[in-house]
mmCIF file of all heavy atoms in Angstrom:
data_model
loop_
_atom_site.group_PDB
_atom_site.id
_atom_site.type_symbol
_atom_site.label_atom_id
_atom_site.label_comp_id
_atom_site.label_asym_id
_atom_site.label_seq_id
_atom_site.Cartn_x
_atom_site.Cartn_y
_atom_site.Cartn_z
ATOM 1 N N LEU A 25 143.568 82.000 85.528
ATOM 2 C CA LEU A 25 142.630 82.966 84.964
ATOM 3 C C LEU A 25 141.194 82.649 85.369
ATOM 4 O O LEU A 25 140.388 83.545 85.602
ATOM 5 C CB LEU A 25 142.753 82.981 83.440
ATOM 6 C CG LEU A 25 141.943 84.038 82.688
ATOM 7 C CD1 LEU A 25 142.461 85.440 83.012
ATOM 8 C CD2 LEU A 25 142.004 83.793 81.183
ATOM 9 N N LEU A 26 140.875 81.369 85.476
ATOM 10 C CA LEU A 26 139.530 80.962 85.887
ATOM 11 C C LEU A 26 139.356 81.032 87.396
ATOM 12 O O LEU A 26 138.252 81.271 87.885
ATOM 13 C CB LEU A 26 139.239 79.542 85.397
ATOM 14 C CG LEU A 26 139.263 79.316 83.888
ATOM 15 C CD1 LEU A 26 138.907 77.872 83.567
ATOM 16 C CD2 LEU A 26 138.282 80.263 83.181
ATOM 17 N N LEU A 27 140.444 80.806 88.131
ATOM 18 C CA LEU A 27 140.349 80.845 89.592
ATOM 19 C C LEU A 27 140.303 82.273 90.128
ATOM 20 O O LEU A 27 139.821 82.504 91.232
ATOM 21 C CB LEU A 27 141.548 80.124 90.209
ATOM 22 C CG LEU A 27 141.675 78.633 89.913
ATOM 23 C CD1 LEU A 27 142.958 78.076 90.522
ATOM 24 C CD2 LEU A 27 140.472 77.868 90.433
ATOM 25 N N GLY A 28 140.845 83.218 89.346
ATOM 26 C CA GLY A 28 140.863 84.608 89.795
ATOM 27 C C GLY A 28 141.819 84.861 90.935
ATOM 28 O O GLY A 28 141.612 85.767 91.738
ATOM 29 N N ARG A 29 142.886 84.067 91.027
ATOM 30 C CA ARG A 29 143.855 84.256 92.102
ATOM 31 C C ARG A 29 145.197 83.706 91.657
ATOM 32 O O ARG A 29 145.305 82.989 90.661
ATOM 33 C CB ARG A 29 143.412 83.555 93.380
ATOM 34 C CG ARG A 29 143.232 82.043 93.242
ATOM 35 C CD ARG A 29 142.873 81.415 94.575
ATOM 36 N NE ARG A 29 142.544 80.014 94.472
ATOM 37 C CZ ARG A 29 143.441 79.027 94.404
ATOM 38 N NH1 ARG A 29 144.724 79.314 94.407
ATOM 39 N NH2 ARG A 29 143.059 77.776 94.328
ATOM 40 N N GLU A 30 146.237 84.043 92.421
ATOM 41 C CA GLU A 30 147.567 83.533 92.138
ATOM 42 C C GLU A 30 147.693 82.092 92.627
ATOM 43 O O GLU A 30 146.996 81.671 93.553
ATOM 44 C CB GLU A 30 148.623 84.401 92.837
ATOM 45 C CG GLU A 30 148.675 85.830 92.345
ATOM 46 C CD GLU A 30 149.222 85.923 90.938
ATOM 47 O OE1 GLU A 30 150.011 85.033 90.561
ATOM 48 O OE2 GLU A 30 148.852 86.871 90.225
ATOM 49 N N TYR A 31 148.620 81.367 92.027
ATOM 50 C CA TYR A 31 148.927 80.038 92.532
ATOM 51 C C TYR A 31 149.721 80.148 93.825
ATOM 52 O O TYR A 31 150.487 81.090 94.013
ATOM 53 C CB TYR A 31 149.765 79.256 91.522
ATOM 54 C CG TYR A 31 148.944 78.590 90.448
ATOM 55 C CD1 TYR A 31 149.146 78.894 89.110
ATOM 56 C CD2 TYR A 31 147.978 77.652 90.778
ATOM 57 C CE1 TYR A 31 148.398 78.285 88.121
ATOM 58 C CE2 TYR A 31 147.219 77.038 89.798
ATOM 59 C CZ TYR A 31 147.444 77.355 88.473
ATOM 60 O OH TYR A 31 146.707 76.747 87.504
ATOM 61 N N PRO A 32 149.573 79.168 94.704
ATOM 62 C CA PRO A 32 150.408 79.165 95.912
ATOM 63 C C PRO A 32 151.857 78.872 95.559
ATOM 64 O O PRO A 32 152.148 78.292 94.512
ATOM 65 C CB PRO A 32 149.810 78.018 96.749
ATOM 66 C CG PRO A 32 149.152 77.127 95.745
ATOM 67 C CD PRO A 32 148.633 78.037 94.669
ATOM 68 N N GLN A 33 152.779 79.272 96.414
ATOM 69 C CA GLN A 33 154.192 79.018 96.172
ATOM 70 C C GLN A 33 154.505 77.522 96.203
ATOM 71 O O GLN A 33 155.342 77.045 95.460
ATOM 72 C CB GLN A 33 155.039 79.760 97.210
ATOM 73 C CG GLN A 33 155.037 81.270 97.049
ATOM 74 C CD GLN A 33 155.603 81.696 95.704
ATOM 75 O OE1 GLN A 33 156.651 81.218 95.288
ATOM 76 N NE2 GLN A 33 154.893 82.583 95.021
ATOM 77 N N GLN A 34 153.831 76.797 97.067
ATOM 78 C CA GLN A 34 154.046 75.362 97.151
ATOM 79 C C GLN A 34 152.821 74.648 96.595
ATOM 80 O O GLN A 34 151.747 74.707 97.175
ATOM 81 C CB GLN A 34 154.293 74.936 98.611
ATOM 82 C CG GLN A 34 155.533 75.548 99.243
ATOM 83 C CD GLN A 34 156.791 75.096 98.535
ATOM 84 O OE1 GLN A 34 156.902 73.946 98.106
ATOM 85 N NE2 GLN A 34 157.760 75.994 98.415
ATOM 86 N N TRP A 35 153.008 73.988 95.446
ATOM 87 C CA TRP A 35 151.895 73.280 94.816
ATOM 88 C C TRP A 35 152.109 71.777 94.976
ATOM 89 O O TRP A 35 153.242 71.308 94.934
ATOM 90 C CB TRP A 35 151.811 73.643 93.332
ATOM 91 C CG TRP A 35 150.492 73.288 92.742
ATOM 92 C CD1 TRP A 35 150.178 72.154 92.055
ATOM 93 C CD2 TRP A 35 149.288 74.053 92.806
ATOM 94 N NE1 TRP A 35 148.857 72.172 91.684
ATOM 95 C CE2 TRP A 35 148.295 73.320 92.138
ATOM 96 C CE3 TRP A 35 148.948 75.290 93.377
ATOM 97 C CZ2 TRP A 35 146.991 73.781 92.010
ATOM 98 C CZ3 TRP A 35 147.656 75.733 93.242
ATOM 99 C CH2 TRP A 35 146.685 74.999 92.567
ATOM 100 N N PRO A 36 151.057 71.009 95.174
ATOM 101 C CA PRO A 36 151.243 69.557 95.310
ATOM 102 C C PRO A 36 151.934 68.966 94.087
ATOM 103 O O PRO A 36 151.901 69.535 93.004
ATOM 104 C CB PRO A 36 149.796 69.036 95.441
ATOM 105 C CG PRO A 36 149.013 70.210 95.915
ATOM 106 C CD PRO A 36 149.660 71.419 95.309
ATOM 107 N N ALA A 37 152.542 67.816 94.256
ATOM 108 C CA ALA A 37 153.239 67.149 93.166
ATOM 109 C C ALA A 37 152.284 66.892 92.002
ATOM 110 O O ALA A 37 151.097 66.597 92.199
ATOM 111 C CB ALA A 37 153.837 65.827 93.651
ATOM 112 N N MET A 38 152.805 67.017 90.785
ATOM 113 C CA MET A 38 151.995 66.809 89.591
ATOM 114 C C MET A 38 151.509 65.365 89.517
ATOM 115 O O MET A 38 152.281 64.429 89.667
ATOM 116 C CB MET A 38 152.834 67.140 88.359
ATOM 117 C CG MET A 38 152.098 66.929 87.037
ATOM 118 S SD MET A 38 150.689 68.039 86.839
ATOM 119 C CE MET A 38 151.529 69.625 86.701
ATOM 120 N N ARG A 39 150.213 65.196 89.293
ATOM 121 C CA ARG A 39 149.645 63.866 89.127
ATOM 122 C C ARG A 39 149.550 63.535 87.645
ATOM 123 O O ARG A 39 149.422 64.413 86.811
ATOM 124 C CB ARG A 39 148.252 63.792 89.752
ATOM 125 C CG ARG A 39 148.230 64.013 91.252
ATOM 126 C CD ARG A 39 146.834 63.862 91.803
ATOM 127 N NE ARG A 39 145.911 64.838 91.225
ATOM 128 C CZ ARG A 39 144.810 64.525 90.559
ATOM 129 N NH1 ARG A 39 144.490 63.270 90.343
ATOM 130 N NH2 ARG A 39 144.019 65.466 90.088
ATOM 131 N N THR A 40 149.596 62.241 87.313
ATOM 132 C CA THR A 40 149.452 61.816 85.933
ATOM 133 C C THR A 40 148.454 60.670 85.871
ATOM 134 O O THR A 40 148.162 60.015 86.868
ATOM 135 C CB THR A 40 150.787 61.355 85.330
ATOM 136 O OG1 THR A 40 151.277 60.251 86.091
ATOM 137 C CG2 THR A 40 151.815 62.479 85.318
ATOM 138 N N ALA A 41 147.937 60.445 84.675
ATOM 139 C CA ALA A 41 147.066 59.300 84.416
ATOM 140 C C ALA A 41 147.660 58.507 83.266
ATOM 141 O O ALA A 41 148.225 59.079 82.330
ATOM 142 C CB ALA A 41 145.653 59.770 84.065
ATOM 143 N N VAL A 42 147.547 57.188 83.336
ATOM 144 C CA VAL A 42 148.131 56.311 82.325
ATOM 145 C C VAL A 42 147.028 55.468 81.707
ATOM 146 O O VAL A 42 146.187 54.907 82.406
ATOM 147 C CB VAL A 42 149.201 55.378 82.943
ATOM 148 C CG1 VAL A 42 149.792 54.460 81.883
ATOM 149 C CG2 VAL A 42 150.288 56.186 83.619
ATOM 150 N N TRP A 43 147.039 55.419 80.371
ATOM 151 C CA TRP A 43 146.146 54.536 79.635
ATOM 152 C C TRP A 43 146.989 53.633 78.760
ATOM 153 O O TRP A 43 147.944 54.080 78.126
ATOM 154 C CB TRP A 43 145.188 55.318 78.739
ATOM 155 C CG TRP A 43 144.198 56.143 79.470
ATOM 156 C CD1 TRP A 43 142.935 55.794 79.852
ATOM 157 C CD2 TRP A 43 144.365 57.500 79.900
ATOM 158 N NE1 TRP A 43 142.319 56.835 80.498
ATOM 159 C CE2 TRP A 43 143.173 57.895 80.542
ATOM 160 C CE3 TRP A 43 145.410 58.416 79.810
ATOM 161 C CZ2 TRP A 43 142.996 59.165 81.081
ATOM 162 C CZ3 TRP A 43 145.249 59.675 80.347
ATOM 163 C CH2 TRP A 43 144.055 60.033 80.974
ATOM 164 N N MET A 44 146.645 52.349 78.701
ATOM 165 C CA MET A 44 147.308 51.453 77.752
ATOM 166 C C MET A 44 146.403 50.257 77.501
ATOM 167 O O MET A 44 145.457 49.988 78.247
ATOM 168 C CB MET A 44 148.677 51.003 78.243
ATOM 169 C CG MET A 44 148.702 50.171 79.491
ATOM 170 S SD MET A 44 150.373 49.556 79.844
ATOM 171 C CE MET A 44 151.224 51.070 80.216
ATOM 172 N N ALA A 45 146.684 49.543 76.415
ATOM 173 C CA ALA A 45 145.893 48.387 76.037
ATOM 174 C C ALA A 45 146.197 47.202 76.950
ATOM 175 O O ALA A 45 147.084 47.250 77.805
ATOM 176 C CB ALA A 45 146.183 48.028 74.578
ATOM 177 N N GLU A 46 145.473 46.112 76.741
ATOM 178 C CA GLU A 46 145.693 44.894 77.505
ATOM 179 C C GLU A 46 147.131 44.409 77.326
ATOM 180 O O GLU A 46 147.665 44.375 76.220
ATOM 181 C CB GLU A 46 144.716 43.803 77.033
ATOM 182 C CG GLU A 46 144.891 42.469 77.706
ATOM 183 C CD GLU A 46 144.772 42.574 79.210
ATOM 184 O OE1 GLU A 46 143.788 43.133 79.698
ATOM 185 O OE2 GLU A 46 145.698 42.089 79.894
ATOM 186 N N LEU A 47 147.781 44.023 78.423
ATOM 187 C CA LEU A 47 149.207 43.706 78.377
ATOM 188 C C LEU A 47 149.515 42.222 78.552
ATOM 189 O O LEU A 47 150.679 41.823 78.458
ATOM 190 C CB LEU A 47 149.945 44.482 79.472
ATOM 191 C CG LEU A 47 149.840 46.003 79.422
ATOM 192 C CD1 LEU A 47 150.589 46.603 80.604
ATOM 193 C CD2 LEU A 47 150.409 46.535 78.123
ATOM 194 N N ASP A 48 148.517 41.387 78.780
ATOM 195 C CA ASP A 48 148.809 39.997 79.114
ATOM 196 C C ASP A 48 149.631 39.307 78.038
ATOM 197 O O ASP A 48 150.592 38.576 78.328
ATOM 198 C CB ASP A 48 147.503 39.223 79.335
ATOM 199 C CG ASP A 48 146.825 39.623 80.639
ATOM 200 O OD1 ASP A 48 147.495 40.283 81.465
ATOM 201 O OD2 ASP A 48 145.650 39.277 80.832
ATOM 202 N N HIS A 49 149.268 39.523 76.754
ATOM 203 C CA HIS A 49 149.977 38.825 75.688
ATOM 204 C C HIS A 49 151.416 39.312 75.579
ATOM 205 O O HIS A 49 152.324 38.537 75.275
ATOM 206 C CB HIS A 49 149.256 39.009 74.351
ATOM 207 C CG HIS A 49 149.257 40.417 73.837
ATOM 208 N ND1 HIS A 49 148.511 41.416 74.413
ATOM 209 C CD2 HIS A 49 149.946 40.988 72.808
ATOM 210 C CE1 HIS A 49 148.725 42.545 73.753
ATOM 211 N NE2 HIS A 49 149.586 42.324 72.780
ATOM 212 N N VAL A 50 151.649 40.607 75.862
ATOM 213 C CA VAL A 50 153.012 41.133 75.802
ATOM 214 C C VAL A 50 153.818 40.618 76.995
ATOM 215 O O VAL A 50 154.984 40.260 76.857
ATOM 216 C CB VAL A 50 153.004 42.668 75.767
ATOM 217 C CG1 VAL A 50 154.421 43.201 75.644
ATOM 218 C CG2 VAL A 50 152.152 43.168 74.602
ATOM 219 N N HIS A 51 153.198 40.588 78.169
ATOM 220 C CA HIS A 51 153.871 40.024 79.343
ATOM 221 C C HIS A 51 154.346 38.602 79.047
ATOM 222 O O HIS A 51 155.480 38.226 79.370
ATOM 223 C CB HIS A 51 152.905 39.990 80.531
ATOM 224 C CG HIS A 51 152.875 41.252 81.320
ATOM 225 N ND1 HIS A 51 153.845 41.587 82.235
ATOM 226 C CD2 HIS A 51 151.988 42.281 81.334
ATOM 227 C CE1 HIS A 51 153.553 42.759 82.782
ATOM 228 N NE2 HIS A 51 152.439 43.201 82.240
ATOM 229 N N ALA A 52 153.478 37.804 78.432
ATOM 230 C CA ALA A 52 153.818 36.416 78.161
ATOM 231 C C ALA A 52 154.971 36.305 77.168
ATOM 232 O O ALA A 52 155.824 35.431 77.282
ATOM 233 C CB ALA A 52 152.590 35.682 77.630
ATOM 234 N N GLN A 53 155.020 37.194 76.197
ATOM 235 C CA GLN A 53 156.043 37.120 75.155
ATOM 236 C C GLN A 53 157.422 37.527 75.675
ATOM 237 O O GLN A 53 158.425 36.913 75.332
ATOM 238 C CB GLN A 53 155.667 38.018 73.976
ATOM 239 C CG GLN A 53 154.505 37.500 73.150
ATOM 240 C CD GLN A 53 154.166 38.467 72.022
ATOM 241 O OE1 GLN A 53 154.929 39.374 71.704
ATOM 242 N NE2 GLN A 53 153.007 38.281 71.425
ATOM 243 N N VAL A 54 157.474 38.576 76.468
ATOM 244 C CA VAL A 54 158.788 39.140 76.815
ATOM 245 C C VAL A 54 159.161 38.939 78.280
ATOM 246 O O VAL A 54 160.234 39.355 78.696
ATOM 247 C CB VAL A 54 158.835 40.646 76.472
ATOM 248 C CG1 VAL A 54 158.575 40.864 75.002
ATOM 249 C CG2 VAL A 54 157.848 41.440 77.326
ATOM 250 N N ASN A 55 158.298 38.307 79.075
ATOM 251 C CA ASN A 55 158.609 38.025 80.485
ATOM 252 C C ASN A 55 159.000 39.300 81.223
ATOM 253 O O ASN A 55 160.065 39.390 81.846
ATOM 254 C CB ASN A 55 159.731 36.988 80.580
ATOM 255 C CG ASN A 55 159.940 36.498 82.006
ATOM 256 O OD1 ASN A 55 159.009 36.474 82.814
ATOM 257 N ND2 ASN A 55 161.171 36.108 82.328
ATOM 258 N N VAL A 56 158.130 40.296 81.141
ATOM 259 C CA VAL A 56 158.450 41.612 81.673
ATOM 260 C C VAL A 56 158.245 41.644 83.193
ATOM 261 O O VAL A 56 157.314 41.053 83.719
ATOM 262 C CB VAL A 56 157.580 42.692 80.995
ATOM 263 C CG1 VAL A 56 156.102 42.425 81.236
ATOM 264 C CG2 VAL A 56 157.949 44.077 81.481
ATOM 265 N N GLU A 57 159.164 42.319 83.881
ATOM 266 C CA GLU A 57 159.024 42.539 85.317
ATOM 267 C C GLU A 57 158.421 43.908 85.613
ATOM 268 O O GLU A 57 157.669 44.069 86.561
ATOM 269 C CB GLU A 57 160.405 42.448 85.987
ATOM 270 C CG GLU A 57 161.054 41.076 85.879
ATOM 271 C CD GLU A 57 162.489 41.095 86.366
ATOM 272 O OE1 GLU A 57 162.959 42.171 86.806
ATOM 273 O OE2 GLU A 57 163.147 40.040 86.307
ATOM 274 N N GLU A 58 158.793 44.905 84.813
ATOM 275 C CA GLU A 58 158.346 46.280 85.048
ATOM 276 C C GLU A 58 158.358 47.038 83.733
ATOM 277 O O GLU A 58 159.260 46.874 82.916
ATOM 278 C CB GLU A 58 159.282 46.972 86.052
ATOM 279 C CG GLU A 58 158.922 48.424 86.352
ATOM 280 C CD GLU A 58 159.972 49.093 87.223
ATOM 281 O OE1 GLU A 58 160.937 48.413 87.617
ATOM 282 O OE2 GLU A 58 159.827 50.289 87.492
ATOM 283 N N TRP A 59 157.330 47.871 83.530
ATOM 284 C CA TRP A 59 157.293 48.746 82.373
ATOM 285 C C TRP A 59 157.999 50.053 82.708
ATOM 286 O O TRP A 59 157.780 50.636 83.765
ATOM 287 C CB TRP A 59 155.844 49.055 81.974
ATOM 288 C CG TRP A 59 155.105 47.853 81.493
ATOM 289 C CD1 TRP A 59 154.310 47.025 82.230
ATOM 290 C CD2 TRP A 59 155.111 47.323 80.179
ATOM 291 N NE1 TRP A 59 153.824 46.010 81.457
ATOM 292 C CE2 TRP A 59 154.296 46.169 80.184
ATOM 293 C CE3 TRP A 59 155.724 47.708 78.995
ATOM 294 C CZ2 TRP A 59 154.074 45.401 79.050
ATOM 295 C CZ3 TRP A 59 155.508 46.944 77.851
ATOM 296 C CH2 TRP A 59 154.701 45.804 77.897
ATOM 297 N N ILE A 60 158.839 50.529 81.786
ATOM 298 C CA ILE A 60 159.486 51.835 81.906
ATOM 299 C C ILE A 60 158.772 52.757 80.927
ATOM 300 O O ILE A 60 158.763 52.506 79.718
ATOM 301 C CB ILE A 60 160.990 51.774 81.581
ATOM 302 C CG1 ILE A 60 161.660 50.640 82.383
ATOM 303 C CG2 ILE A 60 161.652 53.115 81.847
ATOM 304 C CD1 ILE A 60 161.595 50.814 83.879
ATOM 305 N N MET A 61 158.167 53.826 81.443
ATOM 306 C CA MET A 61 157.256 54.616 80.615
ATOM 307 C C MET A 61 157.950 55.497 79.588
ATOM 308 O O MET A 61 157.309 56.054 78.730
ATOM 309 C CB MET A 61 156.352 55.477 81.501
ATOM 310 C CG MET A 61 155.335 54.673 82.278
ATOM 311 S SD MET A 61 154.219 53.740 81.213
ATOM 312 C CE MET A 61 153.324 55.065 80.421
ATOM 313 N N GLY A 62 159.267 55.640 79.638
ATOM 314 C CA GLY A 62 159.932 56.330 78.548
ATOM 315 C C GLY A 62 160.549 57.653 78.935
ATOM 316 O O GLY A 62 160.873 57.911 80.084
ATOM 317 N N LYS A 63 160.720 58.524 77.921
ATOM 318 C CA LYS A 63 161.466 59.763 78.081
ATOM 319 C C LYS A 63 160.655 60.814 78.833
ATOM 320 O O LYS A 63 159.429 60.828 78.769
ATOM 321 C CB LYS A 63 161.836 60.313 76.705
ATOM 322 C CG LYS A 63 162.674 59.370 75.864
ATOM 323 C CD LYS A 63 162.924 59.974 74.494
ATOM 324 C CE LYS A 63 163.736 59.024 73.614
ATOM 325 N NZ LYS A 63 163.947 59.587 72.260
ATOM 326 N N PRO A 64 161.344 61.730 79.525
ATOM 327 C CA PRO A 64 160.640 62.883 80.105
ATOM 328 C C PRO A 64 160.041 63.759 79.007
ATOM 329 O O PRO A 64 160.504 63.750 77.868
ATOM 330 C CB PRO A 64 161.753 63.632 80.854
ATOM 331 C CG PRO A 64 162.857 62.649 81.000
ATOM 332 C CD PRO A 64 162.769 61.724 79.827
#
């Protein structure tokens, strides 16, 4: 509505931004290798 035009048929992949608190103390407690961000 603000652009005044239709969207293209092919749109770039959706980007996301992640915010979280300091993780050092949690890393030390649980020996984490990778965070899984959760449900879709």
Side-chain angles (χ1 to χ4, degrees):
L25 186 66
L26 299 182
L27 297 177
R29 60 177 173 81
E30 296 290 333
Y31 277 121
Q33 290 299 313
Q34 298 296 323
W35 197 264
M38 179 65 67
R39 297 183 299 121
T40 60
V42 179
W43 293 268
M44 64 174 67
E46 177 57 52
L47 301 178
D48 288 346
H49 66 289
V50 182
H51 273 282
Q53 289 178 14
V54 301
N55 189 29
V56 60
E57 296 171 1
E58 179 187 358
W59 294 94
I60 309 298
M61 290 300 293
K63 301 177 182 178

